[in-house]
Amino acid sequence: MDFKQINHTTGEDKIHTNRIIAEFLYTHLEQYGDKVEDILKCIAYVMHPQKGGNIIVGLDNKKIVGTVILNNTGMKGFIPENILVYIAVDNSQRGKGYGKSLMEKAISIADGDIALHVEPDNPAKKLYEKLGFTNKYLEMRLIK
C-alpha cells in the first residue's frame, strides 16, 4: 500500500480531493459514520493553517483503500495533541491489513499523543488496543 499525506501545506486540489475523501468515509464508515457535510468540516479543520492535522490516504494500485483523518487539538501537555476523528477501510478490502497499516502511518507522522473515540461494539477497538491505545477515562457529554 502506498500512502498520500494531505494537509494545509500539500497544495491539493482541495475541493475535489475533499469531496472524494468525504464520500469515501461516508460510504465505508457505515453505522459508525457521519454525514458528508460533517466530514467536510473535519477536513476543513485539517486544511486551516491555524488549526491543522493530517489526512492519510491509503492507495493500492492508485485506488483508495483507506483513509485516516487526524485533527490537531492545540492542547499539548494536558490533552493529546491529536485526535483521530475518522478511519475507514473500503468494505470490500477489509481483513488485508490496510487498517493496521493506516494506523501505523498515522502514529508515525503524528507529532505527539493521539486520542480517539470508539464505540464498544466497533471491531476496530481490538486493533487500537493492539497498537497501544488504552481506555483510562470514561467519556461523558452534555448535549445541548
Side-chain angles (χ1 to χ4, degrees), residues 8-19:
H8 69 88
T9 64
T10 59
E12 294 292 316
D13 172 4
K14 292 180 177 94
I15 294 171
H16 178 70
T17 302
N18 294 359
R19 177 58 69 173

Side-chain angles (χ1 to χ4, degrees), residues 109-138:
I109 67 164
D111 185 20
D113 295 339
I114 303 171
L116 61 82
H117 297 118
V118 61
E119 288 87 351
D121 65 334
N122 188 326
K125 183 175 179 272
K126 288 181 171 89
L127 171 62
Y128 304 142
E129 291 169 341
K130 286 180 185 176
L131 292 170
F133 286 84
T134 61
N135 180 17
K136 88 180 213 187
Y137 299 106
L138 173 65

Side-chain angles (χ1 to χ4, degrees), residues 25 29 42 54 56 67-73 80-88 99 102-107 110 113-118 124 127-128 131 133:
L25 287 167
L29 284 168
C42 178
N54 283 286
I56 301 137
T67 301
V68 176
I69 300 180
L70 292 167
N71 284 161
N72 293 345
T73 66
E81 294 90 327
N82 304 278
I83 184 161
L84 190 148
V85 184
Y86 295 112
I87 180 170
L102 282 164
M103 284 299 299
E104 289 172 340
K105 182 67 173 178
I107 291 166
D113 295 339
I114 303 171
L116 61 82
H117 297 118
V118 61
L127 171 62
Y128 304 142
L131 292 170
F133 286 84

Side-chain angles (χ1 to χ4, degrees), residues 24-114:
F24 177 89
L25 287 167
Y26 176 78
T27 299
H28 298 288
L29 284 168
E30 298 167 340
Q31 75 265 28
Y32 303 109
D34 294 320
K35 295 181 279 185
V36 170
E37 297 77 26
D38 292 333
I39 297 168
L40 285 168
K41 291 175 191 173
C42 178
I43 293 169
Y45 189 99
V46 169
M47 298 302 186
H48 192 288
Q50 279 74 47
K51 296 177 181 176
N54 283 286
I55 300 168
I56 301 137
V57 179
L59 302 164
D60 189 6
N61 292 319
K62 299 184 181 182
K63 180 180 183 274
I64 298 175
V65 294
T67 301
V68 176
I69 300 180
L70 292 167
N71 284 161
N72 293 345
T73 66
M75 299 185 192
K76 184 177 182 170
F78 57 99
I79 291 179
E81 294 90 327
N82 304 278
I83 184 161
L84 190 148
V85 184
Y86 295 112
I87 180 170
V89 171
D90 182 312
N91 56 23
S92 71
Q93 301 297 313
R94 292 183 184 154
K96 297 182 179 181
Y98 291 136
K100 181 179 181 185
S101 294
L102 282 164
M103 284 299 299
E104 289 172 340
K105 182 67 173 178
I107 291 166
S108 75
I109 67 164
D111 185 20
D113 295 339
I114 303 171

